[in-house]
Amino acid sequence: DGSKFFTSMYQFVNAGYIDFNYKPSESWDFLLGARYENDMTLIRFSAQGAANKTNLDKQRNLFLPSISIKKALNSKNNLRFAFSKTVTRPVLIETMDIDYINPDNETIRGNPNIENSDNYNFDLKWEYFPSTKEMFAVNLFAKRINNAIERSFVSSGDANGVTVTFYNAKKADLAGIELEGIISLGRISDALSKFTLGANATFMHTDVERSQQQLELEQPNPNYYKGDLHKRGLQGASPYTINADLKYEMKTKNNFS
């Protein structure tokens, strides 16, 4: 019935992976991995009143390697390095070329040409364990995202004058530092020995290079685009995050040893 809205999505991900753990000595630990995926997505949809259905069929073969290296400097200090490649797939609302009104009365339309994002992740981490309950760590990280998926604005005849849609940026680069610590409050008083205080802080810089499609079709938003229209920060990526937690550990006779 062409007067009704219709949509269906089938996604098949057939994958295989292999891991190899190599310990040439007590202080070195290598973990090598590789994952192969055959990703097939079948989408069928029709807008309200449309006589014909639209087919969006996409298939992609993915090779996702990873490596993790740990060096135990001594009984209390570790140094770690990790690299991995991952993929980010667009969700249905980012893909289907239909209009959707969200609770904020914004019109959202998917982009049928949206592509997966390829993510290359790097981490270099130092860990220090003063005691069995305590830990301090410093992590330097970097990420390259090819075809980063971003919300965008295009001119439309709607009441708001713009429609929210989605495009692939050319690339996005992220780099930053993460600080993490867990300390036992037993250092202050024996009465607080079952309490631990944890804190985590991340400081990050991001840079996005916009694609030619974004430059040609987007309605620039002055809140995002200042200075060079080709580059700006990554949408949704906070330059810093800080959090903390207080934990109380209680053991009973029913706890597993």
Side-chain angles (χ1 to χ4, degrees):
D1 185 353
S3 63
K4 296 181 180 180
F5 178 78
F6 168 87
T7 178
S8 67
M9 177 179 179
Y10 303 92
Q11 185 172 54
F12 305 90
V13 178
N14 299 306
Y17 66 91
I18 185 172
D19 289 325
F20 176 67
N21 191 199
Y22 176 57
K23 293 179 65 70
S25 67
E26 287 297 321
S27 63
W28 285 97
D29 193 350
F30 295 83
L31 181 61
L32 307 178
R35 178 182 174 92
Y36 173 81
E37 292 186 359
N38 177 258
D39 180 0
M40 181 171 61
T41 302
L42 309 177
I43 299 175
R44 308 285 186 267
F45 70 91
S46 63
Q48 187 173 6
N52 299 317
K53 299 180 180 66
T54 300
N55 300 332
L56 292 177
D57 298 344
K58 299 181 180 181
Q59 184 168 342
R60 189 181 181 193
N61 296 314
L62 302 169
F63 176 68
L64 306 174
S66 64
I67 181 173
S68 176
I69 303 173
K70 173 187 171 183
K71 170 63 175 176
L73 303 177
N74 51 46
S75 61
K76 293 187 176 182
N77 290 271
N78 292 330
L79 192 62
R80 296 179 182 269
F81 170 79
F83 162 79
S84 65
K85 179 184 177 183
T86 57
V87 61
T88 302
R89 299 177 175 89
V91 298
L92 199 58
I93 197 174
E94 298 170 341
T95 302
M96 292 195 306
D97 189 16
I98 59 174
D99 289 342
Y100 165 77
I101 308 298
N102 70 10
D104 294 328
N105 201 33
E106 288 180 319
T107 301
I108 300 177
R109 182 183 304 133
N111 178 2
N113 298 316
I114 202 79
E115 298 180 8
N116 292 349
S117 298
D118 293 323
N119 314 311
Y120 299 87
N121 314 289
F122 301 87
D123 291 272
L124 180 62
K125 187 175 186 179
W126 168 69
E127 299 172 326
Y128 172 57
F129 302 93
S131 68
T132 56
K133 292 184 177 181
E134 297 175 310
M135 184 269 291
F136 296 96
V138 179
N139 183 36
L140 302 176
F141 63 88
K143 183 189 294 282
R144 160 65 61 86
I145 306 176
N146 291 334
N147 298 321
I149 300 172
E150 296 195 302
R151 288 168 58 97
S152 304
F153 298 90
V154 293
S155 300
S156 70
D158 297 333
N160 294 332
V162 295
T163 292
V164 178
T165 189
F166 305 89
Y167 291 122
N168 291 111
K170 184 176 180 180
K171 65 178 182 178
D173 293 317
L174 297 79
I177 183 171
E178 180 182 14
L179 308 175
E180 182 179 4
I182 302 173
I183 187 171
S184 172
L185 297 188
R187 291 178 177 270
I188 301 174
S189 169
D190 291 339
L192 300 175
S193 61
K194 293 184 178 181
F195 288 90
T196 56
L197 177 64
N200 179 284
T202 302
F203 304 91
M204 179 171 60
H205 172 77
T206 66
D207 183 84
V208 172
E209 184 174 349
R210 300 167 69 199
S211 64
Q212 190 61 34
Q213 186 182 37
Q214 286 178 304
L215 292 170
E216 292 175 353
L217 301 178
E218 275 187 344
Q219 176 71 29
N221 185 327
N223 294 324
Y224 286 137
Y225 311 129
K226 298 178 181 179
D228 188 354
L229 288 178
H230 288 80
K231 294 187 176 182
R232 53 165 168 72
L234 181 65
Q235 293 178 13
S238 173
Y240 61 88
T241 57
I242 299 174
N243 56 73
D245 65 87
L246 180 65
K247 184 175 73 173
Y248 174 77
E249 182 179 359
M250 180 177 63
K251 291 185 178 181
T252 69
K253 64 180 181 179
N254 296 323
N255 288 142
F256 292 102
S257 58

